[in-house]
């Protein structure tokens, strides 16, 4: 967890406050903290497409906020659990997380296998495994290298007509005359991108703390005067 304090900004602002304004400082502080958290949330969401190629809506919307209260002068900007598990290495360093129960890194060799977000999904792997012209296994090359992965056989597989259904031709049949590696299996690789979640949030907070406190205090005082 990265902690960002705005105590200095609040103390500096309190030097010239009236008694009425000082009474409203706890409420104004809670309002300010929540506003700053939401500004940081927006900045983090906007940064994700710059760090990653086509992040999914699930990833972008995983950036959430917990607002502050007068009784708890702390606001949080955080990433929800599932996304946090695979985004953590991009903030703190380390290896790509293997999603789900997988122990093998899947490295697609055909970009046509990727979805609209540039990801290779488990459903895509399941569809490949179900094809009669595809198999999963290890192939030994002439150079002696053993390559594990999802392979496509060179010869097109005959499609058997299913009663009551129209026969369809296999898409993407391998016409190279040799085995085609579709997905290579391997060990997880170190992450390359840097999220800089904490640095970005701190920059947003420091740049806006004074203005947001002034705005929140003015609102708190205006509300108090109406009572």
């Amino acid at each position: 967890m990265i902690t960002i304090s705005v105590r200095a900004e609040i103390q500096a602002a309190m030097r010239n406050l009236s008694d009425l304004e000082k009474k409203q400082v706890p409420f104004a502080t809670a309002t300010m903290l929540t506003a700053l958290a939401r500004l940081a949330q927006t900045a983090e969401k906007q940064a994700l497409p710059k760090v990653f190629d086509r992040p999914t809506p699930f990833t972008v919307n995983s950036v959430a906020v917990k607002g502050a209260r007068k009784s708890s002068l702390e606001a949080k900007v955080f990433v929800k659990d599932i996304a946090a598990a695979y985004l953590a290495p991009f903030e703190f360093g380390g290896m790509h997380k293997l999603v789900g129960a997988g122990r093998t890194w899947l490295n697609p060799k055909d970009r046509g296998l990727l979805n609209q977000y540039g990801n290779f999904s488990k459903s895509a792997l399941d569809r490949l495994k179900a094809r009669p012209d595809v198999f999963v296994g290890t192939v030994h090359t002439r150079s002696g290298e053993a390559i594990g992965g999802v392979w496509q056989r060179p010869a097109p597989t005959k499609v058997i007509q299913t009663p009551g259904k129209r026969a369809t031709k296999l898409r993407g049949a391998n016409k190279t005359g040799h085995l085609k590696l579709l997905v290579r299996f391997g060990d997880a690789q170190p992450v390359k991108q840097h999220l800089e979640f904490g640095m970005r949030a701190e920059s947003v907070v420091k740049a806006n703390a004074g203005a947001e406190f002034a705005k929140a205090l003015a609102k708190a005082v205006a509300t108090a005067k109406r009572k």
Side-chain angles (χ1 to χ4, degrees):
M1 180 181 294
I2 300 170
T3 302
I4 304 170
S5 174
V6 293
R7 187 184 301 275
E9 287 82 356
I10 295 175
Q11 289 178 339
M14 288 182 64
R15 293 172 186 160
N16 300 314
L17 297 185
S18 65
D19 290 341
L20 174 61
E21 289 172 327
K22 288 179 180 178
K23 290 180 180 179
Q24 301 303 314
V25 165
F27 175 76
T29 300
T31 302
M32 172 198 69
L33 292 173
T34 300
L36 290 174
R38 297 199 181 282
L39 287 174
Q41 177 193 36
T42 298
E44 303 292 4
K45 285 186 171 184
Q46 291 175 343
L48 285 171
K50 300 175 183 178
V51 178
F52 304 111
D53 177 27
R54 291 167 289 166
T56 64
F58 179 85
T59 297
V60 174
N61 293 328
S62 69
V63 182
V65 165
K66 180 180 179 181
R69 302 188 303 273
K70 286 175 60 176
S71 59
S72 178
L73 296 178
E74 178 182 271
K76 293 182 180 180
V77 184
F78 62 97
V79 179
K80 297 176 183 178
D81 290 347
I82 295 177
Y86 59 77
L87 288 178
F90 295 97
E91 179 69 13
F92 305 109
M95 313 293 272
H96 284 274
K97 182 183 184 299
L98 301 181
V99 180
R103 297 180 181 179
T104 302
W105 180 254
L106 304 180
N107 182 12
K109 296 301 182 181
D110 183 351
R111 294 195 64 83
L113 298 173
L114 305 180
N115 62 20
Q116 62 180 315
Y117 302 109
N119 298 327
F120 182 66
S121 65
K122 184 179 182 301
S123 60
L125 179 61
D126 292 338
R127 286 195 298 271
L128 285 177
K129 288 180 178 180
R131 289 177 57 132
D133 63 336
V134 170
F135 71 94
V136 177
T138 300
V139 172
H140 295 269
T141 66
R142 292 180 180 178
S143 63
E145 184 181 9
I147 302 177
V150 181
W151 298 85
Q152 187 177 43
R153 297 182 179 90
T157 301
K158 182 179 180 181
V159 179
I160 299 176
Q161 175 72 52
T162 302
K165 294 185 179 180
R166 182 179 179 182
T168 56
K169 188 176 181 180
L170 288 175
R171 296 179 61 189
N174 180 9
K175 299 178 181 179
T176 62
H178 54 76
L179 287 173
K180 181 179 180 181
L181 180 60
L182 301 178
V183 181
R184 183 165 183 165
F185 297 161
D187 297 327
Q189 300 296 309
V191 299
K192 295 180 180 179
Q193 301 100 315
H194 299 285
L195 190 56
E196 297 181 347
F197 191 95
M199 291 178 59
R200 185 176 299 104
E202 183 172 15
S203 177
V204 169
V205 168
K206 295 302 182 183
N208 294 279
E212 289 300 328
F213 181 73
K215 187 189 304 182
L217 183 61
K219 180 180 179 180
V221 170
T223 302
K225 287 181 178 179
R226 288 199 296 268
K227 292 182 179 178

